[in-house]
Amino acid sequence: SPRRYPPERCKDGRNQGKGEYVMLEYTVSKEKGSNQYYVCRVGEEKTPLSKRYTEKKKALKAAAGFEGMDYKEYMKMYRKEKQSDD
């Protein structure tokens, strides 16, 4: 099961004080057959929510914006979720 994070990690205050944990809602997927990336919801990888980016880092920065947090904080959570998936 995906790893959950304390609510104080989420800068926009979602779930703050409710004892719940925050998971990433948005992620990045690669378009099949090309070198382009786009932002999508977790579990809906076939449905792009943003324009396409040629660099994965730019798409990750856009995903952080969708989450309402800065890029560095997003990447900490992103990496932890990727590790828990392995």
Side-chain angles (χ1 to χ4, degrees), residues 23-51:
M23 291 179 14
L24 290 179
E25 197 173 329
Y26 299 95
T27 190
V28 170
S29 288
K30 186 176 181 201
E31 191 172 291
K32 193 172 184 177
S34 75
N35 288 334
Q36 295 187 332
Y37 300 88
Y38 56 86
V39 179
C40 59
R41 284 188 182 271
V42 174
E44 299 177 17
E45 280 75 14
K46 302 284 186 202
T47 310
L49 298 174
S50 71
K51 68 178 192 173

Side-chain angles (χ1 to χ4, degrees), residues 3-14:
R3 199 169 199 169
R4 297 177 183 269
Y5 302 96
E8 60 271 8
R9 289 214 157 203
C10 191
K11 297 221 178 206
D12 65 358
R14 285 180 293 161

Side-chain angles (χ1 to χ4, degrees), residues 64-77:
F66 273 78
E67 289 284 352
M69 58 178 64
D70 68 327
Y71 174 71
K72 285 187 178 185
E73 189 68 23
Y74 176 83
M75 287 308 296
K76 285 179 191 174
M77 293 177 69

